[in-house]
Coordinates of all heavy atoms in Angstrom, one line a residue:
M1 N -79.2 8.5 -30.2 CA -78.7 7.4 -30.9 C -79.4 7.4 -32.3 O -80.6 7.6 -32.4 CB -79.0 6.1 -30.2 CG -78.5 4.9 -31.0 SD -79.3 3.3 -31.0 CE -80.9 3.5 -30.6
T2 N -78.6 7.1 -33.3 CA -79.1 6.9 -34.6 C -78.8 5.5 -35.1 O -77.6 5.2 -35.4 CB -78.5 7.9 -35.6 OG1 -78.8 9.2 -35.1 CG2 -79.1 7.8 -37.0
P3 N -79.8 4.6 -35.2 CA -79.5 3.2 -35.7 C -79.4 3.2 -37.2 O -79.9 4.2 -37.9 CB -80.7 2.4 -35.2 CG -81.8 3.4 -35.1 CD -81.1 4.8 -34.8
K4 N -79.0 2.1 -37.8 CA -78.9 1.9 -39.2 C -78.1 3.0 -39.9 O -78.5 3.3 -41.0 CB -80.3 1.7 -39.8 CG -81.0 0.4 -39.3 CD -82.4 0.3 -39.8 CE -82.3 -0.2 -41.2 NZ -83.6 -0.5 -41.8
S5 N -77.1 3.5 -39.3 CA -76.2 4.5 -40.0 C -75.2 3.8 -40.9 O -75.1 2.5 -40.8 CB -75.4 5.3 -38.9 OG -76.3 6.1 -38.1
R6 N -74.5 4.5 -41.6 CA -73.5 3.9 -42.5 C -72.2 3.5 -41.8 O -71.6 2.6 -42.2 CB -73.1 4.9 -43.6 CG -74.2 5.2 -44.6 CD -73.9 6.2 -45.6 NE -75.0 6.7 -46.3 CZ -75.1 6.8 -47.6 NH1 -74.1 6.5 -48.3 NH2 -76.2 7.1 -48.2
V7 N -71.9 4.2 -40.7 CA -70.7 3.9 -39.9 C -71.1 4.0 -38.4 O -72.0 4.7 -38.0 CB -69.6 4.8 -40.2 CG1 -69.1 4.6 -41.7 CG2 -69.9 6.3 -40.0
D8 N -70.2 3.3 -37.6 CA -70.3 3.5 -36.2 C -69.5 4.8 -35.8 O -68.4 4.9 -36.2 CB -69.7 2.3 -35.4 CG -70.6 1.1 -35.6 OD1 -71.8 1.2 -35.8 OD2 -70.1 0.0 -35.4
L9 N -70.1 5.7 -35.1 CA -69.5 7.0 -34.8 C -70.0 7.5 -33.5 O -71.1 7.4 -33.1 CB -69.9 7.9 -36.0 CG -69.4 9.4 -35.9 CD1 -67.9 9.4 -36.1 CD2 -70.0 10.2 -37.0
V10 N -69.0 8.2 -32.8 CA -69.4 8.9 -31.5 C -69.0 10.4 -31.7 O -67.9 10.7 -32.1 CB -68.6 8.3 -30.3 CG1 -68.9 9.1 -29.1 CG2 -69.0 6.9 -30.1
E11 N -70.0 11.3 -31.6 CA -69.8 12.7 -31.6 C -70.0 13.3 -30.2 O -71.0 13.0 -29.6 CB -70.7 13.4 -32.6 CG -70.6 12.9 -34.0 CD -71.7 13.4 -34.9 OE1 -72.9 13.4 -34.5 OE2 -71.4 13.7 -36.1
V12 N -69.1 14.1 -29.8 CA -69.1 14.6 -28.4 C -69.2 16.1 -28.4 O -68.5 16.8 -29.1 CB -67.8 14.2 -27.7 CG1 -67.8 14.7 -26.3 CG2 -67.6 12.7 -27.7
D13 N -70.1 16.6 -27.6 CA -70.3 18.1 -27.3 C -70.2 18.3 -25.8 O -71.2 18.3 -25.1 CB -71.6 18.6 -27.9 CG -71.7 20.1 -27.8 OD1 -70.8 20.7 -27.2 OD2 -72.6 20.7 -28.3
P14 N -68.9 18.5 -25.3 CA -68.8 18.7 -23.9 C -69.5 19.9 -23.3 O -69.9 19.9 -22.1 CB -67.3 18.8 -23.7 CG -66.7 19.0 -25.0 CD -67.7 18.6 -26.0
A15 N -69.7 20.9 -24.1 CA -70.3 22.1 -23.6 C -71.8 21.9 -23.2 O -72.3 22.4 -22.2 CB -70.3 23.2 -24.7
T16 N -72.5 21.0 -24.0 CA -73.9 20.7 -23.7 C -74.0 19.4 -23.0 O -75.1 18.9 -22.7 CB -74.7 20.7 -25.0 OG1 -74.2 19.7 -25.9 CG2 -74.7 22.1 -25.6
K17 N -72.9 18.6 -22.8 CA -72.9 17.3 -22.2 C -73.7 16.3 -23.0 O -74.5 15.5 -22.4 CB -73.4 17.4 -20.7 CG -72.6 18.3 -19.8 CD -71.4 17.6 -19.3 CE -70.8 18.5 -18.2 NZ -69.5 18.1 -17.8
V18 N -73.6 16.4 -24.3 CA -74.3 15.5 -25.2 C -73.4 14.7 -26.0 O -72.4 15.1 -26.5 CB -75.2 16.3 -26.2 CG1 -75.8 15.4 -27.2 CG2 -76.3 17.1 -25.4
I19 N -73.7 13.4 -26.0 CA -72.9 12.4 -26.8 C -73.9 11.9 -27.9 O -74.9 11.3 -27.5 CB -72.4 11.3 -26.0 CG1 -71.5 11.8 -24.8 CG2 -71.6 10.3 -26.8 CD1 -71.3 10.8 -23.8
R20 N -73.5 12.1 -29.1 CA -74.4 11.5 -30.2 C -73.7 10.3 -30.7 O -72.5 10.3 -31.1 CB -74.5 12.5 -31.3 CG -75.4 13.7 -30.9 CD -75.6 14.6 -32.1 NE -76.6 15.7 -31.7 CZ -76.3 16.7 -31.0 NH1 -75.1 16.9 -30.5 NH2 -77.2 17.6 -30.7
V21 N -74.4 9.2 -30.8 CA -73.9 7.9 -31.2 C -74.7 7.4 -32.4 O -75.9 7.4 -32.4 CB -74.0 6.9 -30.1 CG1 -73.4 5.5 -30.5 CG2 -73.3 7.4 -28.8
R22 N -73.9 7.0 -33.4 CA -74.5 6.4 -34.6 C -74.0 5.0 -34.7 O -72.8 4.8 -34.6 CB -74.1 7.2 -35.9 CG -74.6 8.6 -35.8 CD -74.0 9.4 -37.0 NE -74.2 10.8 -36.9 CZ -75.3 11.5 -37.2 NH1 -76.4 10.8 -37.6 NH2 -75.4 12.8 -37.0
V23 N -74.9 4.1 -35.0 CA -74.4 2.7 -35.1 C -75.1 2.0 -36.3 O -76.1 2.5 -36.8 CB -74.8 1.8 -33.9 CG1 -74.0 2.3 -32.6 CG2 -76.3 1.9 -33.6
T24 N -74.4 1.1 -36.9 CA -74.9 0.4 -38.1 C -76.0 -0.6 -37.8 O -76.7 -1.0 -38.7 CB -73.7 -0.3 -38.8 OG1 -73.1 -1.2 -38.0 CG2 -72.7 0.7 -39.4
A25 N -76.1 -1.0 -36.5 CA -77.0 -2.1 -36.1 C -78.5 -1.5 -36.3 O -78.7 -0.3 -36.1 CB -76.8 -2.5 -34.7
A26 N -79.4 -2.4 -36.6 CA -80.8 -2.1 -36.7 C -81.4 -2.1 -35.3 O -81.0 -2.8 -34.4 CB -81.5 -3.1 -37.6
P27 N -82.5 -1.3 -35.1 CA -83.1 -1.3 -33.8 C -84.1 -2.4 -33.6 O -85.3 -2.2 -33.3 CB -83.8 0.1 -33.8 CG -84.2 0.3 -35.2 CD -83.0 -0.3 -36.0
E28 N -83.6 -3.6 -33.7 CA -84.4 -4.8 -33.5 C -83.8 -5.7 -32.5 O -82.6 -6.0 -32.5 CB -84.5 -5.6 -34.9 CG -85.1 -4.8 -36.0 CD -84.8 -5.4 -37.4 OE1 -84.0 -6.3 -37.4 OE2 -85.3 -4.9 -38.3
S29 N -84.7 -6.2 -31.6 CA -84.2 -7.1 -30.5 C -83.1 -6.6 -29.7 O -82.2 -7.3 -29.2 CB -83.9 -8.4 -31.1 OG -84.9 -9.0 -31.8
G30 N -83.0 -5.2 -29.5 CA -82.0 -4.6 -28.7 C -80.6 -4.6 -29.3 O -79.6 -4.2 -28.6
R31 N -80.5 -4.9 -30.6 CA -79.2 -4.9 -31.3 C -78.5 -3.5 -31.3 O -77.3 -3.4 -31.1 CB -79.3 -5.5 -32.7 CG -79.5 -7.0 -32.7 CD -79.3 -7.5 -34.1 NE -80.1 -8.7 -34.1 CZ -81.2 -8.9 -34.9 NH1 -81.5 -8.0 -35.8 NH2 -81.8 -10.0 -34.9
A32 N -79.3 -2.5 -31.6 CA -78.7 -1.1 -31.6 C -78.2 -0.7 -30.2 O -77.2 -0.1 -30.1 CB -79.7 -0.2 -32.2
N33 N -79.0 -1.0 -29.2 CA -78.6 -0.7 -27.8 C -77.3 -1.4 -27.5 O -76.4 -0.8 -26.9 CB -79.7 -1.0 -26.8 CG -80.8 -0.1 -26.9 OD1 -80.7 1.0 -27.4 ND2 -82.0 -0.5 -26.3
E34 N -77.2 -2.7 -27.8 CA -75.9 -3.4 -27.6 C -74.8 -2.8 -28.3 O -73.7 -2.7 -27.8 CB -76.1 -4.9 -28.0 CG -77.1 -5.6 -27.1 CD -77.4 -7.0 -27.7 OE1 -76.8 -7.4 -28.7 OE2 -78.3 -7.6 -27.1
A35 N -75.0 -2.4 -29.6 CA -74.0 -1.7 -30.3 C -73.5 -0.4 -29.7 O -72.3 -0.1 -29.7 CB -74.4 -1.5 -31.8
V36 N -74.5 0.4 -29.2 CA -74.1 1.6 -28.6 C -73.2 1.4 -27.4 O -72.2 2.0 -27.2 CB -75.4 2.4 -28.1 CG1 -75.1 3.5 -27.2 CG2 -76.1 2.9 -29.4
V37 N -73.6 0.4 -26.5 CA -72.8 0.1 -25.3 C -71.5 -0.3 -25.7 O -70.4 0.1 -25.1 CB -73.6 -0.9 -24.4 CG1 -72.7 -1.4 -23.3 CG2 -74.8 -0.3 -23.8
A38 N -71.4 -1.2 -26.7 CA -70.1 -1.8 -27.1 C -69.2 -0.7 -27.7 O -68.0 -0.6 -27.3 CB -70.3 -2.9 -28.1
L39 N -69.7 0.2 -28.5 CA -68.9 1.3 -29.1 C -68.5 2.3 -28.0 O -67.3 2.6 -28.0 CB -69.8 2.0 -30.1 CG -69.1 3.2 -30.8 CD1 -67.9 2.8 -31.6 CD2 -70.1 3.8 -31.8
L40 N -69.3 2.7 -27.1 CA -68.9 3.6 -26.0 C -67.8 2.9 -25.1 O -66.9 3.6 -24.7 CB -70.1 4.0 -25.2 CG -71.0 5.0 -25.9 CD1 -72.3 5.3 -25.0 CD2 -70.3 6.3 -26.2
R41 N -68.0 1.6 -24.8 CA -67.0 0.9 -24.0 C -65.6 0.9 -24.7 O -64.6 1.2 -24.0 CB -67.4 -0.5 -23.7 CG -68.3 -0.6 -22.5 CD -68.5 -2.1 -22.0 NE -68.8 -3.1 -23.0 CZ -67.9 -3.9 -23.6 NH1 -66.6 -3.9 -23.2 NH2 -68.2 -4.8 -24.5
R42 N -65.6 0.7 -26.0 CA -64.3 0.7 -26.7 C -63.7 2.1 -26.7 O -62.5 2.2 -26.4 CB -64.6 0.3 -28.2 CG -64.6 -1.2 -28.3 CD -64.5 -1.6 -29.8 NE -65.3 -0.9 -30.7 CZ -66.6 -1.3 -31.0 NH1 -67.1 -2.3 -30.5 NH2 -67.2 -0.6 -31.9
K43 N -64.5 3.1 -26.9 CA -64.0 4.5 -27.0 C -63.5 4.9 -25.6 O -62.5 5.7 -25.5 CB -65.1 5.5 -27.4 CG -65.5 5.3 -28.8 CD -64.5 5.8 -29.8 CE -65.0 5.8 -31.2 NZ -64.0 6.2 -32.2
L44 N -64.1 4.4 -24.5 CA -63.7 4.8 -23.2 C -62.7 3.9 -22.6 O -62.1 4.2 -21.5 CB -65.0 4.8 -22.3 CG -66.0 5.9 -22.6 CD1 -67.3 5.7 -21.8 CD2 -65.4 7.3 -22.2
G45 N -62.4 2.8 -23.2 CA -61.5 1.8 -22.7 C -62.0 1.1 -21.4 O -61.2 0.9 -20.5
L46 N -63.3 0.8 -21.3 CA -63.8 0.2 -20.1 C -64.1 -1.3 -20.3 O -64.2 -1.7 -21.5 CB -65.2 0.9 -19.8 CG -65.2 2.3 -19.5 CD1 -66.6 2.9 -19.3 CD2 -64.3 2.6 -18.2
A47 N -64.1 -2.0 -19.3 CA -64.3 -3.4 -19.3 C -65.8 -3.8 -19.5 O -66.6 -2.9 -19.3 CB -63.8 -4.1 -18.0
A48 N -66.0 -5.0 -20.0 CA -67.4 -5.4 -20.2 C -68.2 -5.3 -18.8 O -67.6 -5.6 -17.8 CB -67.4 -6.8 -20.7
G49 N -69.4 -4.9 -18.9 CA -70.3 -4.8 -17.7 C -70.1 -3.5 -16.9 O -70.9 -3.4 -16.0
T50 N -69.2 -2.6 -17.4 CA -69.1 -1.4 -16.6 C -69.9 -0.2 -17.2 O -70.0 0.8 -16.5 CB -67.6 -1.0 -16.6 OG1 -67.1 -0.8 -17.9 CG2 -66.7 -2.0 -15.8
L51 N -70.5 -0.4 -18.3 CA -71.3 0.6 -18.9 C -72.7 0.0 -19.3 O -72.7 -1.1 -19.9 CB -70.6 1.2 -20.2 CG -71.3 2.4 -20.8 CD1 -70.4 3.6 -20.6 CD2 -71.5 2.2 -22.3
R52 N -73.7 0.7 -19.0 CA -75.1 0.2 -19.3 C -76.0 1.3 -19.6 O -75.8 2.5 -19.1 CB -75.5 -0.7 -18.2 CG -75.8 0.0 -16.9 CD -75.8 -0.9 -15.7 NE -75.3 -0.3 -14.5 CZ -74.0 -0.1 -14.2 NH1 -73.1 -0.5 -15.0 NH2 -73.7 0.4 -13.1
I53 N -77.1 1.0 -20.3 CA -78.2 2.0 -20.5 C -79.1 1.9 -19.3 O -79.6 0.8 -19.0 CB -78.9 1.6 -21.9 CG1 -77.9 1.8 -23.0 CG2 -80.2 2.5 -22.0 CD1 -78.5 1.4 -24.4
V54 N -79.3 3.0 -18.7 CA -80.2 3.0 -17.5 C -81.5 3.7 -17.7 O -82.4 3.7 -16.9 CB -79.5 3.7 -16.3 CG1 -78.3 2.8 -15.9 CG2 -79.1 5.1 -16.6
G55 N -81.7 4.3 -18.9 CA -83.0 5.0 -19.2 C -83.1 5.2 -20.7 O -82.1 5.4 -21.4
G56 N -84.3 5.1 -21.2 CA -84.5 5.4 -22.6 C -84.2 4.2 -23.6 O -83.9 4.5 -24.8
A57 N -84.2 3.0 -23.1 CA -83.8 1.9 -23.9 C -84.6 1.8 -25.2 O -84.1 1.3 -26.2 CB -83.9 0.6 -23.1
A58 N -85.9 2.2 -25.2 CA -86.8 2.1 -26.4 C -86.9 3.5 -27.1 O -87.7 3.6 -28.0 CB -88.1 1.6 -26.0
E59 N -86.0 4.4 -26.7 CA -86.1 5.8 -27.3 C -84.8 6.1 -28.0 O -83.8 5.4 -27.7 CB -86.3 6.8 -26.1 CG -87.5 6.5 -25.3 CD -88.8 6.7 -26.0 OE1 -88.9 7.5 -26.9 OE2 -89.8 5.9 -25.7
R60 N -84.8 7.2 -28.8 CA -83.5 7.6 -29.4 C -82.6 8.2 -28.4 O -81.4 8.1 -28.4 CB -83.8 8.6 -30.5 CG -84.3 8.0 -31.8 CD -84.4 9.1 -32.8 NE -84.7 8.5 -34.1 CZ -83.9 8.1 -35.0 NH1 -82.6 8.2 -34.7 NH2 -84.2 7.6 -36.1
R61 N -83.1 8.9 -27.4 CA -82.4 9.6 -26.3 C -82.2 8.6 -25.2 O -83.2 8.1 -24.6 CB -83.0 10.9 -25.9 CG -82.3 11.6 -24.8 CD -82.9 12.9 -24.5 NE -82.2 13.9 -25.2 CZ -82.5 15.1 -25.2 NH1 -83.5 15.6 -24.5 NH2 -81.8 16.0 -25.9
K62 N -81.0 8.3 -24.9 CA -80.7 7.3 -23.8 C -79.8 7.9 -22.7 O -79.1 8.9 -22.9 CB -79.9 6.2 -24.4 CG -80.7 5.6 -25.6 CD -80.2 4.3 -26.1 CE -80.9 3.7 -27.3 NZ -82.3 3.7 -27.2
W63 N -79.9 7.3 -21.5 CA -79.1 7.7 -20.4 C -78.2 6.5 -20.1 O -78.7 5.4 -20.0 CB -79.9 8.0 -19.2 CG -80.7 9.3 -19.4 CD1 -80.3 10.5 -19.0 CD2 -81.9 9.5 -20.1 NE1 -81.2 11.5 -19.4 CE2 -82.2 10.9 -20.1 CE3 -82.8 8.6 -20.7 CZ2 -83.3 11.4 -20.7 CZ3 -83.9 9.2 -21.3 CH2 -84.2 10.5 -21.3
V64 N -76.9 6.7 -20.0 CA -76.0 5.6 -19.7 C -75.3 5.9 -18.4 O -75.2 7.0 -17.9 CB -74.9 5.5 -20.8 CG1 -75.6 5.1 -22.1 CG2 -74.1 6.7 -21.0
E65 N -74.8 4.8 -17.8 CA -74.1 4.9 -16.5 C -72.8 4.1 -16.7 O -72.9 3.0 -17.2 CB -75.0 4.3 -15.4 CG -74.5 4.4 -14.0 CD -75.5 3.9 -13.0 OE1 -75.6 2.6 -12.9 OE2 -76.1 4.7 -12.4
A66 N -71.7 4.6 -16.2 CA -70.5 4.0 -16.3 C -69.9 3.8 -14.9 O -69.9 4.8 -14.1 CB -69.5 4.8 -17.2
D67 N -69.4 2.6 -14.6 CA -68.7 2.3 -13.3 C -67.2 2.5 -13.5 O -66.7 2.1 -14.5 CB -69.0 0.9 -12.8 CG -70.5 0.7 -12.5 OD1 -71.2 1.7 -12.1 OD2 -71.0 -0.4 -12.6
G68 N -66.5 2.9 -12.4 CA -65.1 2.9 -12.4 C -64.4 4.1 -13.2 O -63.2 4.0 -13.5
I69 N -65.2 5.1 -13.5 CA -64.6 6.3 -14.2 C -65.2 7.6 -13.7 O -66.5 7.6 -13.5 CB -64.7 6.1 -15.7 CG1 -63.9 7.2 -16.4 CG2 -66.1 6.0 -16.1 CD1 -63.8 7.0 -17.9
E70 N -64.4 8.6 -13.4 CA -65.0 9.9 -13.0 C -65.5 10.6 -14.2 O -65.0 10.4 -15.3 CB -63.9 10.7 -12.3 CG -63.4 10.1 -11.0 CD -64.4 10.2 -9.9 OE1 -65.2 11.1 -9.8 OE2 -64.4 9.2 -9.1
E71 N -66.4 11.5 -14.0 CA -67.1 12.2 -15.1 C -66.0 13.0 -15.9 O -66.1 13.0 -17.2 CB -68.1 13.2 -14.6 CG -68.9 13.9 -15.7 CD -70.0 14.8 -15.3 OE1 -70.3 14.8 -14.1 OE2 -70.6 15.4 -16.1
A72 N -65.1 13.7 -15.3 CA -64.1 14.5 -16.0 C -63.2 13.6 -16.9 O -62.9 13.9 -18.0 CB -63.2 15.3 -15.0
E73 N -62.9 12.4 -16.4 CA -62.1 11.5 -17.1 C -62.9 10.9 -18.3 O -62.3 10.7 -19.4 CB -61.6 10.3 -16.2 CG -60.8 9.3 -17.0 CD -59.5 9.8 -17.6 OE1 -59.0 10.9 -17.3 OE2 -58.9 9.0 -18.3
L74 N -64.2 10.6 -18.1 CA -65.0 10.2 -19.2 C -65.0 11.2 -20.3 O -64.8 10.8 -21.5 CB -66.5 10.0 -18.6 CG -67.5 9.5 -19.7 CD1 -68.4 8.4 -19.0 CD2 -68.3 10.7 -20.1
W75 N -65.2 12.4 -20.0 CA -65.3 13.5 -21.1 C -63.9 13.6 -21.8 O -63.8 13.7 -23.0 CB -65.7 14.8 -20.6 CG -67.2 14.7 -20.3 CD1 -67.8 14.7 -19.1 CD2 -68.3 14.7 -21.3 NE1 -69.2 14.6 -19.2 CE2 -69.5 14.6 -20.6 CE3 -68.3 14.7 -22.7 CZ2 -70.7 14.6 -21.2 CZ3 -69.5 14.7 -23.3 CH2 -70.7 14.6 -22.6
R76 N -62.8 13.5 -21.0 CA -61.5 13.6 -21.6 C -61.2 12.5 -22.6 O -60.7 12.7 -23.7 CB -60.4 13.6 -20.5 CG -59.0 13.8 -21.0 CD -57.9 13.5 -20.0 NE -57.8 12.1 -19.7 CZ -57.3 11.2 -20.5 NH1 -56.9 11.5 -21.7 NH2 -57.2 9.9 -20.2
R77 N -61.6 11.2 -22.2 CA -61.4 10.1 -23.1 C -62.3 10.2 -24.3 O -61.8 9.9 -25.4 CB -61.7 8.8 -22.3 CG -60.7 8.4 -21.3 CD -61.1 7.1 -20.7 NE -60.3 6.8 -19.5 CZ -60.3 5.7 -18.8 NH1 -61.1 4.7 -19.2 NH2 -59.5 5.5 -17.8
L78 N -63.5 10.6 -24.2 CA -64.4 10.8 -25.3 C -63.9 11.8 -26.3 O -63.9 11.6 -27.5 CB -65.8 11.1 -24.9 CG -66.6 9.9 -24.4 CD1 -68.0 10.4 -23.8 CD2 -66.8 8.9 -25.4
E79 N -63.4 12.9 -25.8 CA -62.9 14.0 -26.6 C -61.6 13.5 -27.4 O -61.4 13.8 -28.5 CB -62.6 15.2 -25.8 CG -63.8 16.0 -25.4 CD -63.5 17.1 -24.5 OE1 -62.4 17.8 -24.7 OE2 -64.3 17.4 -23.6
A80 N -60.8 12.8 -26.7 CA -59.5 12.3 -27.3 C -59.8 11.2 -28.3 O -59.1 11.1 -29.3 CB -58.6 11.6 -26.2
A81 N -60.9 10.5 -28.2 CA -61.2 9.4 -29.1 C -62.0 9.9 -30.4 O -62.1 9.2 -31.3 CB -62.1 8.3 -28.4
S82 N -62.5 11.1 -30.3 CA -63.3 11.7 -31.4 C -62.4 12.2 -32.5 O -61.3 12.5 -32.4 CB -64.1 12.9 -30.9 OG -65.1 12.4 -30.0

């Protein structure tokens, strides 16, 4: 994750299973983390509460978990949204 970017952006590399997320929010009081979750939820078309950060909340590298979507479908949606 890159906070304080000029634009909100999701970059996907399915070969390495890496998703790079840039958000305009500052990394203060969890705002950047909230922005990451909201942006990924919009890109994936998921309902509120179905996507969350499960590791690395205070780090640039984060681990997210999504309910109600298979991994193959997650990657398909992310690639289509990029």
Side-chain angles (χ1 to χ4, degrees):
M1 180 213 23
T2 305
K4 296 179 74 175
S5 293
R6 292 177 191 228
V7 294
D8 291 335
L9 177 70
V10 176
E11 298 171 320
V12 180
D13 186 353
T16 59
K17 303 273 187 193
V18 172
I19 303 167
R20 287 183 176 80
V21 180
R22 300 175 192 276
V23 293
T24 55
E28 300 166 351
S29 303
R31 285 189 207 120
N33 286 341
E34 291 170 8
V36 166
V37 169
L39 179 60
L40 286 174
R41 273 194 312 100
R42 279 195 310 274
K43 294 285 186 185
L44 293 167
L46 297 174
T50 58
L51 189 110
R52 65 198 149 281
I53 296 173
V54 294
E59 307 293 328
R60 282 186 174 271
R61 180 175 264 179
K62 304 193 182 308
W63 289 265
V64 297
E65 185 175 77
D67 295 332
I69 186 170
E70 296 291 326
E71 184 178 356
E73 178 64 11
L74 179 137
W75 288 106
R76 187 192 68 72
R77 289 184 190 184
L78 284 174
E79 288 176 33
S82 297

